[in-house]
Amino acid sequence: MLRRIDSGNMGSSNLGWLRSKFHFSFAEYYNPHNIKFGVLRVINDDLVEPNTGFDTHPHRNMEIISYVVNGELTHGDSMGNKNTITRGHVQYMSAGTGVYHSEHNLGKDKLRFLQIWIFPDKEDYKPNYGDYTFEWSDRQNKLLHMVSSKNGNAPIKINQDINIYSLELDKGKEINFKVNERRQAYLVQIEGDSIINDIELNDRDGIEIVEEDILIKAKETSHILILEMKKEN
């Protein structure tokens, strides 16, 4: 089963310093039929103006992934961590029993990043933070496995049975992605245009995939994120 999510129909917000597309219900956007997808609770496609950002605020019992598309993202938290990542790199945080953090654009250019929240497999883990710098070439015309469960083999391991891949597929190329029985996936067309089986996706669209293998064909050079997980009961 495939279901295309048109970016024009997503929730949105414009606070001046921050413009967002919400793949799922968030903030002032509420849709009772679009709260989550399996263990995936939030994907916000955020555009943050220079010298602004999210000031210190709390989180609890959520696995949080930040994937930078363009610009610089600077993280700080109550555990004493601080670091800046750029295009194609990832920050991850297990909020667990509770943590305060901030996310800012301290650079000169606009920041675009995907803010992803995932339910943990149980509550009240000890809070944890990390970041990872990936080579861009590792996702060019091949799937880069960035995130997995603690039992998986990706360099970033979180407290949930989920796998996150990134991909940049050149125009005219294609690649297969397998979604097994009792598994599902959510694909974000970050940049470019592609065809997923027979469904066309444009910049910032998404697609739900349930127990169905897909063939990704790039109409234009396509930057894609895939989140694969156990099927929702």
Side-chain angles (χ1 to χ4, degrees):
M1 188 281 289
L2 303 181
R3 186 170 80 94
R4 177 177 179 266
I5 313 297
D6 190 318
S7 65
N9 296 328
M10 292 177 184
S12 62
S13 175
N14 187 346
L15 302 178
W17 65 273
L18 170 67
R19 288 180 290 138
S20 303
K21 289 280 188 181
F22 304 135
H23 286 252
F24 306 102
S25 292
F26 191 85
E28 65 270 26
Y29 166 61
Y30 175 71
N31 180 344
H33 304 294
N34 188 34
I35 301 295
K36 63 186 182 70
F37 182 70
V39 297
L40 184 56
R41 174 61 188 88
V42 166
I43 300 180
N44 292 349
D45 191 333
D46 290 333
L47 293 171
V48 185
E49 294 295 325
N51 299 308
T52 66
F54 303 90
D55 292 332
T56 301
H57 58 281
H59 284 287
R60 184 184 177 98
N61 289 322
M62 196 66 70
E63 305 291 295
I64 299 173
I65 304 289
S66 299
Y67 180 80
V68 175
V69 181
N70 289 305
E72 299 178 5
L73 175 64
T74 297
H75 167 97
D77 64 45
S78 54
M79 297 177 283
N81 300 297
K82 186 171 184 179
N83 199 21
T84 299
I85 60 170
T86 57
R87 181 171 171 82
H89 306 323
V90 175
Q91 291 177 351
Y92 56 101
M93 186 176 72
S94 177
T97 54
V99 65
Y100 285 82
H101 79 129
S102 63
E103 306 291 341
H104 287 100
N105 176 11
L106 303 181
K108 296 179 180 179
D109 300 318
K110 191 173 296 183
L111 163 68
R112 181 184 174 197
F113 78 106
L114 299 182
Q115 177 184 170
I116 301 164
W117 297 6
I118 298 160
F119 292 113
D121 54 21
K122 70 176 186 179
E123 295 188 341
D124 294 337
Y125 279 106
K126 180 181 178 181
N128 182 43
Y129 166 84
D131 47 65
Y132 204 93
T133 300
F134 293 95
E135 295 294 332
W136 189 262
S137 59
D138 287 341
R139 82 201 78 202
Q140 289 181 304
N141 299 311
K142 55 189 175 183
L143 293 160
L144 171 60
H145 193 188
M146 302 188 302
V147 178
S148 70
S149 71
K150 293 292 179 67
N151 296 321
N153 55 11
I156 298 171
K157 295 176 170 61
I158 65 172
N159 299 305
Q160 185 52 266
D161 177 10
I162 190 167
N163 296 284
I164 303 179
Y165 303 85
S166 62
L167 166 70
E168 185 186 65
L169 194 62
D170 290 342
K171 179 179 179 179
K173 289 189 177 291
E174 56 186 52
I175 194 169
N176 290 289
F177 186 83
K178 192 170 185 62
V179 181
N180 292 324
E181 187 178 356
R182 297 190 294 275
R183 305 292 290 183
Q184 62 187 41
Y186 194 90
L187 183 150
V188 182
Q189 182 78 36
I190 302 173
E191 297 171 301
D193 303 295
S194 67
I195 297 175
I196 311 300
N197 292 356
D198 59 350
I199 299 174
E200 184 171 347
L201 293 187
N202 305 120
D203 180 44
R204 303 182 88 179
D205 288 347
I207 191 167
E208 295 177 353
I209 307 153
V210 179
E211 296 181 319
E212 183 171 343
D213 297 345
I214 60 171
L215 176 64
I216 305 168
K217 299 180 181 179
K219 288 189 67 178
E220 300 293 338
T221 298
S222 290
H223 183 191
I224 286 169
L225 201 71
I226 304 174
L227 304 99
E228 185 272 346
M229 70 204 81
K230 60 186 176 183
K231 184 183 175 185
E232 188 172 29
N233 293 326

